[in-house]
Amino acid sequence: MTLSKDVEYQAPTTPPSTMKVPALDGMDYSSSSSLEQMEGIFQSVEPPRRSTGRLLMHSMAMFGREFCYAVEAAYVTPVLLSVGLPKSLYSLVWLISPILGFILQPVVGSASDYCRSRWGRRRPYILALGILMVLGMTLYLNGDTVITAIFRNSNSPEKRTWAIVITMLGVVAFDFAADFIDGPIKAYLFDVCSHQDKERGLHYHALLTGLGGALGYLTGAMDWGSTFFGRLMGSEFQVMFFFSSSIFLLFLAVHLCSIPETPLKVETSETKLLLTHEGLKAYGSIDPTQNNNVKKNEPQIKSLSYIEGEEEDDPKVRVQKRMTLKSLVRALLTMPSHYRYLCVSHLIGWTAFLSNMLFFTDYMGQIVYHGNPYAPHNSTAYIIYERGVEVGCWGMCINAISSCLYSYLQKALLPYIGLKGLYFVGYLLFGLGTGFIGLFPNVYSTLALCSLFGVMSSTLYTVPFNLISEYHREEEAEAELDGKTNKVHRGKGIDCAALTCMVQLAQIIVGGGLGFLVSLAGSVVVIVIFASTVSLIGCCFVAIFVRYVE
């Protein structure tokens, strides 16, 4: 029964644990379990188990992204050289994108945590970044052709300037979007999957990342200019644009349709009645207007969020507060120590990995094959250097294939050595492999040791994000034990973005520092030695400082 309009609301004198609380649907629950029933409303519902097909569909975006990355690695340098980019601007091209990513990545991650789109929190950002990736590929692979069609005089300085500008904008836009898109994809996986499916999904991500890279390098190694497609489209640049954009857009569409998201707006509307004062003015009331005679000086029943000690009663106010740049920077600077140590270890790993991978083909051409990139293009020394670069591309393909295979092997190793063992082994094998390559520069041994690069690649793509998932799972379990089931936890999006920021910071370190290191040493051998040293330091760091959930 409901309270009469003539009856004033009385503050409860019985302790909450013994009160009889009529539920919102009119059913009475026993006094001993009333609060438990109320708290159960706020407990996070475990997502349903996802099929292998759904998880593979979700991983397709990683396949498409890595395919495009491989195309960029194979063609960006020839494209930049063909438009006449000065050597003094090379470092600028490679530094703009990571600097922008390092600054803006946490903003995008935090924004996706509170996105209220009816399509979900992550997918609008993934779609926007995917479109930006295609736009970037369009500019750097077709910009020179478009500018040539506009300017009839092919030798004019204005034409050359515009070709350089368009190509640089394309490279920066592509790198920016391709680096950014990884964080929302990982957060999307964490949002819609159970704990077991998160681990499976990350392994499928690494598996298809390796496959996409391998297929991209193989496609880029083919001479498309003399084929039917090359004659039809004009050049091999246009052929690669057609393949890469088509594959990426197709797999991006599959990814976006893989697993539906629950919009944040729907979740908020469902709990709005229980999170505001108006919804809980009187336990026995069905219609809020029946409580018009409640005395203002009587104690009001507070919302559960207030009881739990939240700073703001209004969820919208909390969201707006968290969306300011000041609070975002504060959240990053005051993150728990285990998150901070994980970010540092990720930075060490990517610094070692990128310093080796970005200069590996040049190392093969100069050190292993003894070629000279500065010799005349019709000279034997330069032809030998080009041969070394081609063999280096095959080494990158071996790296991608081994990354694919090791990501599958990780599932078998995980029960025996755990995440700590996988993390340590990845850094150790990469450090030893790059060290031997620097000490013994032989063609066959170098290609064989390229398989260890894939171990590191798979490790960086899976283990840190697995640890993020474990940290969040632990925090949610602790909150349930403490009864704080409606507590606002750290957003998965911002934590994934913080990890991805370390990739950009590593690019800044590598792009800004390795050139000086090579000039100081006078040989690119110092690069693989540097990568080996940093990786072995990372070995010690992940063993001592990184926290693992038992």
Side-chain angles (χ1 to χ4, degrees):
M1 61 181 294
T2 60
L3 294 177
S4 170
K5 292 182 179 180
D6 299 325
V7 179
E8 293 184 349
Y9 171 76
Q10 301 293 330
T13 58
T14 310
S17 60
T18 60
M19 287 195 310
K20 187 174 183 180
V21 184
L24 297 176
D25 58 0
M27 298 296 292
D28 291 342
Y29 294 97
S30 62
S31 59
S32 61
S33 62
S34 59
L35 289 185
E36 286 78 6
Q37 295 290 343
M38 295 292 291
E39 290 177 354
I41 298 174
F42 297 100
Q43 293 179 358
S44 57
V45 180
E46 182 76 2
R49 294 299 302 271
R50 306 297 181 182
S51 65
T52 301
R54 289 286 181 180
L55 294 177
L56 286 174
M57 289 172 64
H58 191 278
S59 305
M60 289 297 184
M62 300 302 295
F63 182 99
R65 189 193 79 147
E66 202 64 22
F67 184 94
C68 295
Y69 257 143
V71 170
E72 184 198 34
Y75 282 91
V76 160
T77 300
V79 168
L80 292 175
L81 291 174
S82 67
V83 298
L85 181 70
K87 292 183 179 180
S88 58
L89 295 180
Y90 278 170
S91 59
L92 180 63
V93 174
W94 300 117
L95 285 178
I96 291 177
S97 175
I99 289 174
L100 289 175
F102 182 73
I103 295 173
L104 298 178
Q105 185 99 320
V107 177
V108 174
S110 179
S112 71
D113 281 333
Y114 300 104
C115 176
R116 296 180 180 275
S117 168
R118 289 183 296 177
W119 205 32
R121 290 191 288 177
R122 317 296 179 185
R123 288 188 290 180
Y125 288 90
I126 295 172
L127 177 61
L129 291 170
I131 294 174
L132 185 59
M133 279 182 62
V134 175
L135 177 62
M137 285 190 294
T138 304
L139 292 178
Y140 82 76
L141 287 175
N142 301 286
D144 187 41
T145 304
V146 174
I147 295 300
T148 302
I150 296 175
F151 292 91
R152 296 181 179 180
N153 186 3
S154 60
N155 296 322
S156 65
E158 189 177 4
K159 181 258 181 184
R160 178 173 175 270
T161 301
W162 275 106
I164 292 174
V165 170
I166 295 298
T167 304
M168 288 181 62
L169 284 176
V171 173
V172 170
F174 174 82
D175 283 339
F176 178 82
D179 291 339
F180 254 58
I181 202 172
D182 187 55
I185 287 175
K186 294 294 192 299
Y188 176 20
L189 177 72
F190 292 167
D191 288 343
V192 298
C193 290
S194 63
H195 180 70
Q196 294 80 3
D197 288 341
K198 291 174 187 176
E199 294 182 353
R200 293 170 58 212
L202 287 174
H203 288 301
Y204 289 138
H205 277 201
L207 176 69
L208 291 181
T209 295
L211 285 176
L215 183 60
Y217 285 119
L218 289 175
T219 307
M222 297 179 64
D223 182 14
W224 292 102
S226 58
T227 63
F228 168 77
F229 288 104
R231 292 189 296 271
L232 178 65
M233 299 183 184
S235 72
E236 58 183 350
F237 293 158
Q238 279 71 52
V239 174
M240 290 309 303
F241 169 73
F242 170 76
F243 281 124
S244 57
S245 60
S246 300
I247 289 175
F248 177 73
L249 288 175
L250 174 63
F251 288 169
L252 180 66
V254 172
H255 166 80
L256 294 174
C257 298
S258 60
I259 304 174
E261 286 187 271
T262 301
L264 188 62
K265 184 176 181 180
V266 174
E267 294 175 356
T268 303
S269 64
E270 290 174 353
T271 59
K272 184 177 181 181
L273 182 64
L274 296 174
L275 288 175
T276 57
H277 290 303
E278 290 77 11
L280 289 175
K281 281 186 176 179
Y283 284 119
S285 175
I286 294 178
D287 187 354
T289 59
Q290 293 178 344
N291 295 304
N292 290 335
N293 293 330
V294 175
K295 290 184 178 181
K296 295 183 180 292
N297 59 353
E298 291 290 344
Q300 301 294 314
I301 296 177
K302 304 297 184 182
S303 65
L304 292 186
S305 62
Y306 180 87
I307 294 173
E308 299 296 348
E310 294 290 336
E311 295 181 358
E312 300 286 344
D313 287 326
D314 187 0
K316 295 182 179 180
V317 174
R318 290 200 302 267
V319 170
Q320 293 172 356
K321 183 177 180 180
R322 291 171 185 271
M323 287 300 295
T324 63
L325 183 61
K326 181 179 178 181
S327 62
L328 177 60
V329 173
R330 188 188 305 118
L332 291 174
L333 294 178
T334 60
M335 63 170 51
S337 58
H338 52 283
Y339 284 96
R340 190 179 302 112
Y341 288 141
L342 181 61
C343 287
V344 173
S345 69
H346 206 52
L347 172 63
I348 294 173
W350 274 104
T351 300
F353 185 72
L354 289 175
S355 62
N356 181 71
M357 300 304 290
L358 292 180
F359 293 90
F360 180 72
T361 53
D362 185 56
Y363 172 82
M364 288 291 292
Q366 290 196 57
I367 304 302
V368 177
Y369 273 79
H370 306 288
N372 184 6
Y374 305 106
H377 286 195
N378 57 353
S379 64
T380 303
Y382 186 81
I383 294 174
I384 292 175
Y385 173 79
E386 282 192 325
R387 174 59 181 167
V389 171
E390 291 176 1
V391 175
C393 289
W394 285 106
M396 302 289 282
C397 184
I398 293 174
N399 153 63
I401 294 174
S402 66
S403 174
C404 171
L405 296 176
Y406 183 71
S407 64
Y408 185 79
L409 184 61
Q410 275 185 329
K411 297 174 64 177
L413 293 177
L414 183 60
Y416 299 100
I417 62 177
L419 289 175
K420 184 175 183 178
L422 290 176
Y423 216 5
F424 181 84
V425 167
Y427 280 61
L428 177 64
L429 292 180
F430 182 79
L432 293 177
T434 51
F436 282 124
I437 286 175
L439 295 175
F440 308 103
N442 177 270
V443 176
Y444 299 105
S445 62
T446 299
L447 290 177
L449 290 171
C450 283
S451 59
L452 299 182
F453 300 168
V455 175
M456 183 65 159
S457 173
S458 179
T459 299
L460 291 174
Y461 278 119
T462 55
V463 176
F465 294 98
N466 259 321
L467 288 173
I468 286 287
S469 175
E470 292 282 358
Y471 294 161
H472 279 271
R473 185 189 185 196
E474 183 184 50
E475 290 173 359
E476 292 167 1
E478 290 175 355
E480 290 182 2
L481 289 176
D482 295 338
K484 299 180 179 181
T485 51
N486 66 318
K487 181 180 178 181
V488 178
H489 303 287
R490 292 179 57 83
K492 297 181 180 70
I494 192 173
D495 286 334
C496 291
L499 271 184
T500 312
C501 271
M502 298 302 104
V503 182
Q504 274 89 45
L505 185 56
Q507 290 180 9
I508 295 172
I509 294 173
V510 171
L514 278 188
F516 172 76
L517 193 62
V518 171
S519 300
L520 191 65
S523 173
V524 292
V525 175
V526 70
I527 293 176
V528 291
I529 299 300
F530 172 80
S532 176
T533 303
V534 173
S535 184
L536 293 176
I537 291 173
C539 245
C540 301
F541 192 91
V542 300
I544 298 173
F545 294 101
V546 176
R547 178 171 170 267
Y548 302 90
V549 180
E550 297 296 335

